[in-house]
Amino acid sequence: MTLTLADRLNAQVADSPIGRWFRLEGSGHPNEREGSRFMTDVRAGLTTWAAMAYIISVNASIVSDSGGTCVCTGPNYCATDETYLACVQEVKQDLITSTAAISSLASVLMGALANLPVGMAPGMGLNAYFTYSVVGYHGSGFISYREALAAVFLEGWVFFILSLLGLRQWLARIMPQSLVLAVGAGIGLYIAFIGLTSGGLNVIGGDTTNLVGLGGCNPSDWIDPDLPYYCGSKVLRSPTVWLGIFTGGILTILLMMYRIKGSILIGIFITSIISWPRNTAITYFPYTDSGDQLFDFFKQVVTWHPLQHVGNVLDYNYGKGKVWYALVTFLYVDILDTTGTLYSMAKFAGLRDPVTLDFENSTIAYCVDAFSISMGALVGTSPVTAFIESATGIAEGGKTGITAVVTGLLFFVSIFFAPVFASIPPWATGGALVIVGSLMIRNVRDINWDYIGDALPAFLTILVIPLSYNIAYGVIVGVVSYIFLNGFVWIVRKVTNERISPPNYDASEAWVVPPGGIVPTWIKIVLGRNRDGDHESEYPFQVRQRQSEISIDSQGQGGFTPKDSSFVNSEK
């Protein structure tokens, strides 16, 4: 049989130090990953980047809504203050560079050190929480943008310590499954709602009676200049609304239905390209001072845009109580988001132990994530997380960290195309937010709806997150209601020797602490303990799933008895 160029290259790379480091098949490493190929992982990295690249523009658009370091002194959040809005636009341009840079660094480190095919970037949901719940729209929240970055910076180092000690992994493993899934679903609704409002498609606007209503009218039809996006009449008349719906929404969905790689990115760029000509009703560059500024930057196409407003602007005001409130909520939300997504991707890639629910190199992976969170704060962006879109690269055959390294290198190239990414209008990304939200909401199908003690806390979590515009409030409501309801039942059962139980108690989700303990492998090695027989994250194993039962969740499974028989431990 004649070997192709790709076959020869795969063999040469596998038989090199690179192949042994990434445990490619044929490398001779005792724990080589079955079926891994260099060229396959490169292609998977390209696919992952194509699926993730939308975050460059979307994250900049969301975080810039906080106003960054710009100071608003006018009424109504400075929604019509041209000077302030020009400053915010410069912040958005900075965040284009920041997002691409930190995504590049984090993805390369995740691939090179943890050997996981997982792309990293500022997280959806986390950026919305950072912007709208903590800093507030145009700085209207309870702490400033600078203070919020300081909270994120410290959060990263706290996570680093928790990861080294194994606490972060253990906390994720003991969480009830239904609550973890509910947080992911609630964040999905939250993101979709943002995509439908003025930060995206502008389909939903304000209403003085019902709080929200249909939007999409032209500024001349607002009920008052001081109430932007509150439509008095002629709703859904803005041409940009329909452009975003059809090209950024429906077209993208059709592409996804036919499994076109990079569908979300294609939809965003088609909508943007249509919006770039200046002499149209849907232009993103109107003949105004702000439009001229946007167009002048856009014409540079390829350039290096240094950070002018968001680089190393932290305000270490740790004596302020609200900064600590933000820090604690960041910690909790991040545990559910980042930790859960990493577990889901490890499961999908076949790298997770079905007994302990831990995965290979988990300690290193979480340390990389924690370090990236702190570095992201230094360049002005919200917490970094593992991306569920990594599943596209894994589905393409990505099995090693080479996939993540390629993704990171492509993000590095994207830094120099900041003018293009900065010129993507909100109506081009609004559809993407709704679509991402729809992908996250599917977690609800795995929630235990058969038992009210599990179902109600999950439902309250999903409901409160978008309605309160605050992820932390939803998480708090869910956790408190879960502890109260199930704690009460547990106490009554213990006191009565299990004679008094809910009639359908057998339908409840079994909550147990998975085996494996808290102490990570590296500590056991230092202490000289023998790992034989231990179920730990770094010991060699291969987990395979029946393809018909693969489920990609945006959150991982928590502390529960594994019900999925789809796992088969095929240790060599």
Side-chain angles (χ1 to χ4, degrees):
M1 183 178 65
T2 303
L3 295 177
T4 64
L5 177 61
D7 291 333
R8 290 195 296 271
L9 182 59
N10 287 333
Q12 289 175 356
V13 174
D15 191 31
S16 69
I18 293 177
R20 285 184 285 277
W21 178 264
F22 289 105
R23 305 183 183 183
L24 292 172
E25 186 177 85
S27 65
H29 193 284
N31 301 326
E32 65 182 33
R33 296 184 180 173
E34 183 181 348
S36 57
R37 302 285 188 276
F38 174 72
M39 289 304 296
T40 301
D41 273 29
V42 170
R43 184 176 69 248
L46 288 166
T47 303
T48 299
W49 176 84
M52 286 180 60
Y54 72 89
I55 193 61
I56 299 176
S57 58
V58 173
N59 184 65
S61 178
I62 290 177
V63 178
S64 64
D65 273 354
S66 69
T69 53
C70 303
V71 179
C72 175
T73 56
N76 197 36
Y77 310 123
C78 298
T80 56
D81 186 332
E82 289 293 331
T83 302
Y84 179 80
L85 294 178
C87 178
V88 170
Q89 184 57 40
E90 292 175 358
V91 167
K92 181 179 178 180
Q93 293 170 4
D94 281 9
L95 288 168
I96 293 288
T97 301
S98 294
T99 304
I102 195 60
S103 301
S104 174
L105 174 66
S107 297
V108 169
L109 290 178
M110 182 61 72
L113 300 181
N115 198 20
L116 292 177
V118 178
M120 305 284 289
M124 294 296 296
L126 290 169
N127 53 11
Y129 175 69
F130 176 93
T131 299
Y132 303 108
S133 299
V134 177
V135 183
Y137 179 72
H138 285 184
S140 59
F142 58 86
I143 61 175
S144 69
Y145 172 77
R146 296 172 184 269
E147 291 171 334
L149 290 178
V152 172
F153 179 78
L154 183 56
E155 176 214 356
W157 291 114
V158 171
F159 264 157
F160 191 88
I161 295 172
L162 293 178
S163 300
L164 278 179
L165 298 178
L167 290 173
R168 187 178 180 188
Q169 299 89 308
W170 185 76
L171 286 173
R173 290 159 57 208
I174 68 171
M175 290 179 186
Q177 180 193 27
S178 289
L179 272 187
V180 174
L181 296 173
V183 171
I187 291 174
L189 287 179
Y190 188 19
I191 291 172
F193 185 63
I194 293 171
L196 290 173
T197 56
S198 58
L201 295 173
N202 197 23
V203 171
I204 300 298
D207 188 288
T208 55
T209 302
N210 302 317
L211 301 181
V212 294
L214 285 178
C217 59
N218 293 308
S220 58
D221 296 313
W222 292 348
I223 60 176
D224 190 291
D226 291 332
L227 291 175
Y229 309 110
Y230 281 68
C231 294
S233 61
K234 299 180 180 179
V235 297
L236 302 181
R237 296 291 184 89
S238 173
T240 59
V241 170
W242 294 105
L243 174 64
I245 289 174
F246 281 105
T247 59
I250 295 176
L251 175 61
T252 301
I253 295 170
L254 289 173
L255 292 174
M256 293 178 70
M257 290 172 64
Y258 287 94
R259 298 186 178 180
I260 305 299
K261 302 296 188 244
S263 300
I264 293 178
L265 190 63
I266 292 172
I268 289 175
F269 271 107
I270 288 178
T271 308
S272 301
I273 291 170
I274 296 173
S275 303
W276 285 340
R278 302 198 72 180
N279 56 345
T280 68
I282 53 176
T283 182
Y284 188 51
F285 307 119
Y287 289 101
T288 61
D289 290 342
S290 60
D292 291 340
Q293 180 187 15
L294 285 170
F295 191 66
D296 289 340
F297 185 60
F298 170 69
K299 288 188 295 184
Q300 298 178 47
V301 183
V302 179
T303 188
W304 162 249
H305 178 76
L307 302 183
Q308 300 172 343
H309 297 276
V310 303
N312 194 23
V313 296
L314 285 67
D315 182 358
Y316 301 97
N317 189 11
Y318 294 133
K320 187 175 181 179
K322 291 182 178 180
V323 173
W324 285 96
Y325 167 77
L327 172 63
V328 171
T329 52
F330 274 135
L331 284 169
Y332 194 80
V333 172
D334 230 349
I335 285 176
L336 294 177
D337 193 327
T338 307
T339 309
T341 304
L342 268 174
Y343 271 86
S344 296
M345 291 301 95
K347 172 184 175 181
F348 188 46
L351 302 174
R352 198 177 72 162
D353 186 346
V355 178
T356 67
L357 303 184
D358 208 351
F359 59 91
E360 293 185 38
N361 299 323
S362 62
T363 299
I364 298 174
Y366 286 122
C367 286
V368 167
D369 168 67
F371 176 76
S372 301
I373 289 173
S374 293
M375 295 305 100
L378 291 178
V379 294
T381 191
S382 53
V384 173
T385 181
F387 256 59
I388 191 67
E389 284 80 3
S390 302
T392 60
I394 295 171
E396 279 289 313
K399 295 179 180 294
T400 74
I402 293 173
T403 297
V405 170
V406 171
T407 300
L409 293 177
L410 289 170
F411 271 118
F412 177 76
V413 173
S414 303
I415 295 173
F416 302 98
F417 289 88
V420 175
F421 286 104
S423 300
I424 295 176
W427 55 86
T429 58
L433 293 175
V434 176
I435 292 169
V436 171
S438 74
L439 296 176
M440 297 181 72
I441 193 66
R442 59 183 169 182
N443 285 341
V444 297
R445 67 188 176 190
D446 295 322
I447 292 174
N448 181 26
W449 298 110
D450 296 329
Y451 180 67
I452 192 68
D454 296 323
L456 183 66
F459 175 73
L460 289 176
T461 300
I462 296 171
L463 186 67
V464 172
I465 286 176
L467 292 184
S468 66
Y469 233 61
N470 193 306
I471 297 171
Y473 292 161
V475 171
I476 292 169
V477 168
V479 170
V480 171
S481 60
Y482 182 90
I483 293 175
F484 180 83
L485 293 175
N486 293 284
F488 179 84
V489 171
W490 182 82
I491 292 173
V492 171
R493 279 171 52 83
K494 287 294 183 182
V495 170
T496 63
N497 198 24
E498 299 187 359
R499 289 191 297 271
I500 300 179
S501 296
N504 67 330
Y505 184 75
D506 290 342
S508 65
E509 201 170 71
W511 186 89
V512 297
V513 178
I518 301 178
V519 181
T521 302
W522 75 269
I523 293 181
K524 292 183 178 181
I525 293 175
V526 170
L527 296 177
R529 285 181 53 182
N530 189 342
R531 289 183 295 159
D532 290 343
D534 287 348
H535 290 283
E536 291 296 331
S537 61
E538 282 80 11
Y539 77 91
F541 65 86
Q542 295 291 332
V543 178
R544 295 291 175 261
Q545 291 175 278
R546 293 198 298 270
Q547 292 299 316
S548 61
E549 297 182 8
I550 285 178
S551 173
I552 307 172
D553 301 325
S554 63
Q555 301 291 333
Q557 293 174 319
F560 65 100
T561 302
K563 301 177 181 178
D564 48 334
S565 58
S566 57
F567 285 110
V568 178
N569 191 347
S570 58
E571 274 188 79
K572 297 181 180 178

